[in-house]
Amino acid sequence: MPKVNTSPSGTGGSTSQPAAKSSVHEQAIIAKLSARYRELTSLWETAEEKLRKFRIPNDVYICYAIEDEHYPDRPDQRTGAQLRSYLGFVRFSNGWRICTCTNHDNHPLGDFEWKPVVDSRLDIRLAMIPHLNELREAVVKSAEECLPKLDEALNMLRDNLENW
């Protein structure tokens, strides 16, 4: 009577050694990915900390991509509307975060649905890296533009208080 192969691998032999090699290799990949993900998150968080030092008074964002919208059933025809992708330093929840969103021409700017970059998928986190310096420049510009307004308000408040 011929021997029936009953091993899970279908080889008829012991699978413990190849599985052990595979497991060691897989664990090494997992460890390397985990280390890189932690570093990527840490670097994005460092960027947020550096931008928070500017204490900007309002959300700052840049549009980094514009795409023409197409009809779903006719990809060769455009609707005339556009999808815009943004990277911003915005007030999110209880703090200032670097966030991303996509908005449609037909939605008002106030309807942005921001999502922190560090909470986004890997492809989004990586795609935002080339736009980070442009966002920083916009934050610095916003902070500079705030100074004269703040000086004027402080002077007015001082004058008001002196007359009390």
Short mmCIF file of all heavy atoms in Angstrom, two decimals, residues 81-129:
data_model
loop_
_atom_site.label_atom_id
_atom_site.label_comp_id
_atom_site.label_asym_id
_atom_site.label_seq_id
_atom_site.Cartn_x
_atom_site.Cartn_y
_atom_site.Cartn_z
N ALA A 81 -16.00 69.84 -12.64
CA ALA A 81 -15.60 70.08 -11.24
C ALA A 81 -14.20 69.50 -11.02
O ALA A 81 -13.70 68.71 -11.82
CB ALA A 81 -16.59 69.44 -10.29
N GLN A 82 -13.61 69.93 -9.92
CA GLN A 82 -12.28 69.44 -9.60
C GLN A 82 -12.22 68.95 -8.16
O GLN A 82 -12.93 69.45 -7.28
CB GLN A 82 -11.23 70.54 -9.80
CG GLN A 82 -11.06 70.92 -11.24
CD GLN A 82 -10.01 71.99 -11.41
OE1 GLN A 82 -9.91 72.93 -10.62
NE2 GLN A 82 -9.21 71.87 -12.46
N LEU A 83 -11.35 67.99 -7.94
CA LEU A 83 -11.02 67.51 -6.60
C LEU A 83 -9.69 68.13 -6.23
O LEU A 83 -8.73 68.06 -7.00
CB LEU A 83 -10.92 65.99 -6.58
CG LEU A 83 -12.19 65.22 -6.92
CD1 LEU A 83 -11.87 63.75 -7.09
CD2 LEU A 83 -13.22 65.42 -5.83
N ARG A 84 -9.62 68.71 -5.05
CA ARG A 84 -8.39 69.36 -4.60
C ARG A 84 -7.90 68.65 -3.34
O ARG A 84 -8.69 68.37 -2.44
CB ARG A 84 -8.64 70.83 -4.31
CG ARG A 84 -9.11 71.60 -5.52
CD ARG A 84 -9.45 73.04 -5.19
NE ARG A 84 -10.15 73.68 -6.27
CZ ARG A 84 -9.58 74.19 -7.35
NH1 ARG A 84 -8.27 74.17 -7.46
NH2 ARG A 84 -10.30 74.76 -8.30
N SER A 85 -6.62 68.39 -3.31
CA SER A 85 -6.01 67.74 -2.15
C SER A 85 -5.18 68.76 -1.39
O SER A 85 -4.44 69.54 -1.99
CB SER A 85 -5.14 66.57 -2.61
OG SER A 85 -5.94 65.60 -3.26
N TYR A 86 -5.31 68.72 -0.06
CA TYR A 86 -4.68 69.72 0.80
C TYR A 86 -3.83 69.07 1.88
O TYR A 86 -4.14 67.99 2.37
CB TYR A 86 -5.74 70.57 1.49
CG TYR A 86 -6.58 71.39 0.56
CD1 TYR A 86 -7.77 70.89 0.05
CD2 TYR A 86 -6.19 72.68 0.20
CE1 TYR A 86 -8.55 71.65 -0.81
CE2 TYR A 86 -6.97 73.44 -0.65
CZ TYR A 86 -8.15 72.92 -1.16
OH TYR A 86 -8.91 73.68 -2.00
N LEU A 87 -2.79 69.79 2.25
CA LEU A 87 -2.00 69.49 3.43
C LEU A 87 -2.10 70.73 4.29
O LEU A 87 -1.91 71.85 3.80
CB LEU A 87 -0.54 69.20 3.07
CG LEU A 87 0.39 68.87 4.24
CD1 LEU A 87 -0.02 67.57 4.92
CD2 LEU A 87 1.84 68.78 3.75
N GLY A 88 -2.46 70.55 5.56
CA GLY A 88 -2.65 71.72 6.40
C GLY A 88 -2.15 71.53 7.81
O GLY A 88 -1.97 70.42 8.29
N PHE A 89 -1.89 72.66 8.44
CA PHE A 89 -1.62 72.69 9.88
C PHE A 89 -2.85 73.33 10.47
O PHE A 89 -3.08 74.54 10.33
CB PHE A 89 -0.35 73.50 10.17
CG PHE A 89 0.09 73.39 11.59
CD1 PHE A 89 0.38 72.16 12.16
CD2 PHE A 89 0.22 74.52 12.38
CE1 PHE A 89 0.80 72.06 13.48
CE2 PHE A 89 0.64 74.43 13.70
CZ PHE A 89 0.92 73.20 14.25
N VAL A 90 -3.69 72.50 11.08
CA VAL A 90 -5.03 72.93 11.46
C VAL A 90 -5.35 72.56 12.90
O VAL A 90 -4.75 71.64 13.47
CB VAL A 90 -6.09 72.32 10.52
CG1 VAL A 90 -5.83 72.72 9.07
CG2 VAL A 90 -6.15 70.81 10.63
N ARG A 91 -6.32 73.29 13.42
CA ARG A 91 -6.82 72.96 14.76
C ARG A 91 -7.66 71.69 14.60
O ARG A 91 -8.65 71.67 13.88
CB ARG A 91 -7.69 74.11 15.27
CG ARG A 91 -8.15 73.91 16.65
CD ARG A 91 -7.19 74.55 17.60
NE ARG A 91 -7.76 74.51 18.93
CZ ARG A 91 -7.06 74.34 20.01
NH1 ARG A 91 -5.74 74.25 19.93
NH2 ARG A 91 -7.62 74.31 21.18
N PHE A 92 -7.23 70.62 15.24
CA PHE A 92 -7.91 69.33 15.12
C PHE A 92 -8.12 68.79 16.52
O PHE A 92 -7.16 68.65 17.28
CB PHE A 92 -7.07 68.35 14.29
CG PHE A 92 -7.74 67.03 14.07
CD1 PHE A 92 -8.58 66.85 12.98
CD2 PHE A 92 -7.53 65.98 14.93
CE1 PHE A 92 -9.21 65.64 12.77
CE2 PHE A 92 -8.15 64.77 14.74
CZ PHE A 92 -8.99 64.60 13.65
N SER A 93 -9.35 68.52 16.85
CA SER A 93 -9.70 68.03 18.18
C SER A 93 -9.24 69.08 19.19
O SER A 93 -9.69 70.20 19.15
CB SER A 93 -9.09 66.65 18.42
OG SER A 93 -9.62 66.06 19.57
N ASN A 94 -8.30 68.75 20.05
CA ASN A 94 -7.85 69.70 21.07
C ASN A 94 -6.45 70.24 20.84
O ASN A 94 -5.81 70.72 21.77
CB ASN A 94 -7.91 69.04 22.46
CG ASN A 94 -9.33 68.81 22.90
OD1 ASN A 94 -10.23 69.57 22.57
ND2 ASN A 94 -9.55 67.74 23.64
N GLY A 95 -5.97 70.16 19.62
CA GLY A 95 -4.62 70.64 19.38
C GLY A 95 -4.38 70.93 17.91
O GLY A 95 -5.24 70.74 17.06
N TRP A 96 -3.18 71.41 17.62
CA TRP A 96 -2.78 71.72 16.26
C TRP A 96 -2.07 70.51 15.67
O TRP A 96 -1.14 69.98 16.27
CB TRP A 96 -1.87 72.94 16.24
CG TRP A 96 -2.64 74.19 16.53
CD1 TRP A 96 -2.90 74.71 17.76
CD2 TRP A 96 -3.27 75.02 15.58
NE1 TRP A 96 -3.66 75.84 17.63
CE2 TRP A 96 -3.90 76.06 16.30
CE3 TRP A 96 -3.36 75.02 14.20
CZ2 TRP A 96 -4.61 77.07 15.67
CZ3 TRP A 96 -4.07 76.03 13.58
CH2 TRP A 96 -4.69 77.04 14.31
N ARG A 97 -2.53 70.07 14.49
CA ARG A 97 -1.98 68.87 13.86
C ARG A 97 -1.71 69.13 12.38
O ARG A 97 -2.36 69.97 11.75
CB ARG A 97 -2.99 67.72 13.95
CG ARG A 97 -3.52 67.37 15.32
CD ARG A 97 -2.50 66.71 16.23
NE ARG A 97 -1.86 65.56 15.68
CZ ARG A 97 -2.33 64.31 15.75
NH1 ARG A 97 -3.46 64.05 16.34
NH2 ARG A 97 -1.63 63.30 15.23
N ILE A 98 -0.78 68.38 11.83
CA ILE A 98 -0.58 68.36 10.39
C ILE A 98 -1.58 67.35 9.85
O ILE A 98 -1.56 66.18 10.23
CB ILE A 98 0.87 67.96 10.01
CG1 ILE A 98 1.86 68.97 10.57
CG2 ILE A 98 1.00 67.84 8.50
CD1 ILE A 98 3.32 68.57 10.39
N CYS A 99 -2.46 67.85 8.98
CA CYS A 99 -3.56 67.02 8.49
C CYS A 99 -3.63 67.07 6.96
O CYS A 99 -3.04 67.94 6.33
CB CYS A 99 -4.88 67.50 9.06
SG CYS A 99 -5.01 67.33 10.85
N THR A 100 -4.40 66.17 6.43
CA THR A 100 -4.64 66.13 5.00
C THR A 100 -6.13 65.94 4.74
O THR A 100 -6.86 65.45 5.61
CB THR A 100 -3.82 64.98 4.35
OG1 THR A 100 -4.01 65.02 2.93
CG2 THR A 100 -4.20 63.64 4.88
N CYS A 101 -6.56 66.39 3.58
CA CYS A 101 -7.95 66.17 3.18
C CYS A 101 -8.08 66.40 1.67
O CYS A 101 -7.20 66.97 1.04
CB CYS A 101 -8.91 67.06 3.94
SG CYS A 101 -8.96 68.75 3.38
N THR A 102 -9.18 65.92 1.17
CA THR A 102 -9.54 66.16 -0.23
C THR A 102 -10.91 66.83 -0.22
O THR A 102 -11.78 66.44 0.54
CB THR A 102 -9.58 64.83 -1.01
OG1 THR A 102 -8.30 64.22 -0.94
CG2 THR A 102 -9.93 65.05 -2.46
N ASN A 103 -11.07 67.84 -1.05
CA ASN A 103 -12.33 68.55 -1.10
C ASN A 103 -12.76 68.71 -2.56
O ASN A 103 -11.93 68.82 -3.46
CB ASN A 103 -12.20 69.91 -0.43
CG ASN A 103 -13.54 70.48 -0.03
OD1 ASN A 103 -14.52 69.76 0.08
ND2 ASN A 103 -13.57 71.77 0.20
N HIS A 104 -14.05 68.75 -2.76
CA HIS A 104 -14.66 68.88 -4.07
C HIS A 104 -15.04 70.33 -4.27
O HIS A 104 -15.42 71.03 -3.33
CB HIS A 104 -15.90 67.97 -4.10
CG HIS A 104 -16.49 67.81 -5.44
ND1 HIS A 104 -17.36 68.73 -5.98
CD2 HIS A 104 -16.35 66.85 -6.37
CE1 HIS A 104 -17.73 68.34 -7.17
NE2 HIS A 104 -17.13 67.20 -7.44
N ASP A 105 -14.99 70.81 -5.50
CA ASP A 105 -15.37 72.19 -5.82
C ASP A 105 -16.73 72.57 -5.25
O ASP A 105 -16.94 73.70 -4.85
CB ASP A 105 -15.42 72.39 -7.34
CG ASP A 105 -14.07 72.69 -7.94
OD1 ASP A 105 -13.13 72.98 -7.17
OD2 ASP A 105 -13.95 72.65 -9.16
N ASN A 106 -17.65 71.63 -5.23
CA ASN A 106 -19.01 71.94 -4.81
C ASN A 106 -19.19 71.98 -3.30
O ASN A 106 -20.28 72.24 -2.82
CB ASN A 106 -20.00 70.93 -5.42
CG ASN A 106 -20.04 71.05 -6.93
OD1 ASN A 106 -19.78 72.10 -7.49
ND2 ASN A 106 -20.34 69.96 -7.59
N HIS A 107 -18.13 71.70 -2.54
CA HIS A 107 -18.20 71.76 -1.08
C HIS A 107 -17.51 73.03 -0.61
O HIS A 107 -16.41 73.33 -1.07
CB HIS A 107 -17.52 70.55 -0.43
CG HIS A 107 -18.22 69.28 -0.73
ND1 HIS A 107 -17.63 68.07 -0.52
CD2 HIS A 107 -19.46 68.99 -1.20
CE1 HIS A 107 -18.47 67.11 -0.86
NE2 HIS A 107 -19.58 67.65 -1.28
N PRO A 108 -18.12 73.76 0.30
CA PRO A 108 -17.45 74.96 0.81
C PRO A 108 -16.17 74.61 1.56
O PRO A 108 -16.04 73.51 2.10
CB PRO A 108 -18.49 75.58 1.75
CG PRO A 108 -19.56 74.58 1.93
CD PRO A 108 -19.41 73.52 0.89
N LEU A 109 -15.25 75.56 1.58
CA LEU A 109 -13.96 75.32 2.23
C LEU A 109 -14.12 74.94 3.70
O LEU A 109 -13.32 74.19 4.23
CB LEU A 109 -13.06 76.55 2.11
CG LEU A 109 -12.52 76.85 0.72
CD1 LEU A 109 -11.67 78.10 0.73
CD2 LEU A 109 -11.74 75.69 0.16
N GLY A 110 -15.13 75.43 4.36
CA GLY A 110 -15.33 75.11 5.77
C GLY A 110 -15.72 73.66 6.02
O GLY A 110 -15.73 73.21 7.15
N ASP A 111 -16.04 72.94 4.95
CA ASP A 111 -16.46 71.55 5.10
C ASP A 111 -15.29 70.56 4.99
O ASP A 111 -15.51 69.39 4.76
CB ASP A 111 -17.51 71.19 4.04
CG ASP A 111 -18.86 71.77 4.36
OD1 ASP A 111 -19.03 72.30 5.47
OD2 ASP A 111 -19.76 71.70 3.50
N PHE A 112 -14.09 71.05 5.15
CA PHE A 112 -12.95 70.14 5.07
C PHE A 112 -13.07 69.06 6.13
O PHE A 112 -13.41 69.33 7.27
CB PHE A 112 -11.64 70.90 5.31
CG PHE A 112 -11.13 71.67 4.12
CD1 PHE A 112 -11.88 71.85 2.98
CD2 PHE A 112 -9.87 72.22 4.16
CE1 PHE A 112 -11.39 72.55 1.90
CE2 PHE A 112 -9.36 72.93 3.09
CZ PHE A 112 -10.13 73.09 1.95
N GLU A 113 -12.78 67.85 5.75
CA GLU A 113 -12.76 66.74 6.69
C GLU A 113 -11.30 66.33 6.89
O GLU A 113 -10.80 65.42 6.25
CB GLU A 113 -13.61 65.58 6.18
CG GLU A 113 -15.08 65.93 6.14
CD GLU A 113 -15.96 64.77 5.70
OE1 GLU A 113 -15.54 63.60 5.85
OE2 GLU A 113 -17.05 65.05 5.21
N TRP A 114 -10.63 67.05 7.77
CA TRP A 114 -9.21 66.84 8.01
C TRP A 114 -8.96 65.53 8.73
O TRP A 114 -9.76 65.11 9.56
CB TRP A 114 -8.66 67.98 8.85
CG TRP A 114 -8.66 69.31 8.15
CD1 TRP A 114 -9.51 70.35 8.39
CD2 TRP A 114 -7.77 69.74 7.12
NE1 TRP A 114 -9.20 71.40 7.56
CE2 TRP A 114 -8.14 71.06 6.77
CE3 TRP A 114 -6.71 69.14 6.45
CZ2 TRP A 114 -7.47 71.78 5.80
CZ3 TRP A 114 -6.05 69.86 5.48
CH2 TRP A 114 -6.43 71.17 5.16
N LYS A 115 -7.82 64.94 8.41
CA LYS A 115 -7.37 63.73 9.11
C LYS A 115 -5.87 63.89 9.37
O LYS A 115 -5.11 64.21 8.44
CB LYS A 115 -7.62 62.49 8.25
CG LYS A 115 -7.19 61.21 8.94
CD LYS A 115 -7.54 59.99 8.12
CE LYS A 115 -7.16 58.73 8.89
NZ LYS A 115 -7.53 57.53 8.15
N PRO A 116 -5.43 63.69 10.61
CA PRO A 116 -4.00 63.82 10.89
C PRO A 116 -3.17 62.88 10.01
O PRO A 116 -3.56 61.72 9.79
CB PRO A 116 -3.88 63.43 12.36
CG PRO A 116 -5.23 63.75 12.93
CD PRO A 116 -6.20 63.42 11.83
N VAL A 117 -2.07 63.40 9.51
CA VAL A 117 -1.20 62.59 8.65
C VAL A 117 -0.74 61.34 9.38
O VAL A 117 -0.71 60.26 8.80
CB VAL A 117 0.00 63.43 8.14
CG1 VAL A 117 1.03 62.56 7.44
CG2 VAL A 117 -0.48 64.53 7.20
N VAL A 118 -0.41 61.47 10.68
CA VAL A 118 0.09 60.30 11.40
C VAL A 118 -0.97 59.22 11.57
O VAL A 118 -0.64 58.08 11.86
CB VAL A 118 0.70 60.65 12.78
CG1 VAL A 118 1.94 61.51 12.62
CG2 VAL A 118 -0.31 61.30 13.68
N ASP A 119 -2.24 59.56 11.37
CA ASP A 119 -3.32 58.58 11.46
C ASP A 119 -3.73 58.06 10.08
O ASP A 119 -4.68 57.30 9.97
CB ASP A 119 -4.54 59.18 12.15
CG ASP A 119 -4.26 59.54 13.59
OD1 ASP A 119 -3.32 58.97 14.18
OD2 ASP A 119 -4.98 60.41 14.13
N SER A 120 -3.04 58.51 9.05
CA SER A 120 -3.38 58.13 7.68
C SER A 120 -2.62 56.88 7.26
O SER A 120 -1.66 56.46 7.91
CB SER A 120 -3.04 59.28 6.73
OG SER A 120 -3.77 60.43 7.07
N ARG A 121 -3.05 56.36 6.13
CA ARG A 121 -2.37 55.19 5.56
C ARG A 121 -0.92 55.54 5.21
O ARG A 121 -0.59 56.71 5.02
CB ARG A 121 -3.07 54.72 4.28
CG ARG A 121 -4.48 54.26 4.45
CD ARG A 121 -5.06 53.75 3.12
NE ARG A 121 -4.58 54.47 1.96
CZ ARG A 121 -5.34 55.27 1.21
NH1 ARG A 121 -6.60 55.45 1.50
NH2 ARG A 121 -4.83 55.88 0.16
N LEU A 122 -0.09 54.53 5.11
CA LEU A 122 1.32 54.74 4.81
C LEU A 122 1.51 55.50 3.51
O LEU A 122 2.33 56.42 3.44
CB LEU A 122 2.07 53.40 4.76
CG LEU A 122 3.54 53.48 4.37
CD1 LEU A 122 4.32 54.27 5.41
CD2 LEU A 122 4.13 52.10 4.19
N ASP A 123 0.79 55.15 2.46
CA ASP A 123 0.99 55.82 1.17
C ASP A 123 0.71 57.32 1.28
O ASP A 123 1.41 58.13 0.67
CB ASP A 123 0.15 55.18 0.07
CG ASP A 123 -1.35 55.21 0.34
OD1 ASP A 123 -1.75 55.16 1.52
OD2 ASP A 123 -2.12 55.25 -0.63
N ILE A 124 -0.25 57.71 2.09
CA ILE A 124 -0.55 59.13 2.27
C ILE A 124 0.55 59.80 3.06
O ILE A 124 1.02 60.89 2.71
CB ILE A 124 -1.93 59.30 2.94
CG1 ILE A 124 -3.01 58.84 1.97
CG2 ILE A 124 -2.14 60.74 3.39
CD1 ILE A 124 -4.38 58.77 2.56
N ARG A 125 1.02 59.15 4.13
CA ARG A 125 2.10 59.73 4.93
C ARG A 125 3.34 59.97 4.09
O ARG A 125 4.01 60.99 4.23
CB ARG A 125 2.44 58.84 6.12
CG ARG A 125 1.36 58.89 7.20
CD ARG A 125 1.81 58.19 8.43
NE ARG A 125 1.41 56.79 8.34
CZ ARG A 125 1.85 55.84 9.15
NH1 ARG A 125 2.71 56.12 10.09
NH2 ARG A 125 1.41 54.62 9.02
N LEU A 126 3.63 59.03 3.21
CA LEU A 126 4.81 59.18 2.35
C LEU A 126 4.59 60.24 1.28
O LEU A 126 5.50 61.01 0.97
CB LEU A 126 5.15 57.83 1.70
CG LEU A 126 5.56 56.71 2.66
CD1 LEU A 126 5.80 55.41 1.88
CD2 LEU A 126 6.77 57.08 3.49
N ALA A 127 3.38 60.30 0.72
CA ALA A 127 3.09 61.27 -0.33
C ALA A 127 3.11 62.71 0.17
O ALA A 127 3.33 63.63 -0.61
CB ALA A 127 1.73 60.96 -0.96
N MET A 128 2.92 62.93 1.47
CA MET A 128 2.89 64.27 2.02
C MET A 128 4.29 64.84 2.27
O MET A 128 4.46 66.05 2.36
CB MET A 128 2.11 64.30 3.35
CG MET A 128 0.64 63.97 3.23
SD MET A 128 -0.23 65.06 2.11
CE MET A 128 -0.36 64.02 0.67
N ILE A 129 5.28 63.99 2.35
CA ILE A 129 6.64 64.43 2.68
C ILE A 129 7.15 65.53 1.75
O ILE A 129 7.66 66.55 2.22
CB ILE A 129 7.61 63.23 2.76
CG1 ILE A 129 7.24 62.35 3.96
CG2 ILE A 129 9.06 63.70 2.84
CD1 ILE A 129 7.97 61.01 4.01
#
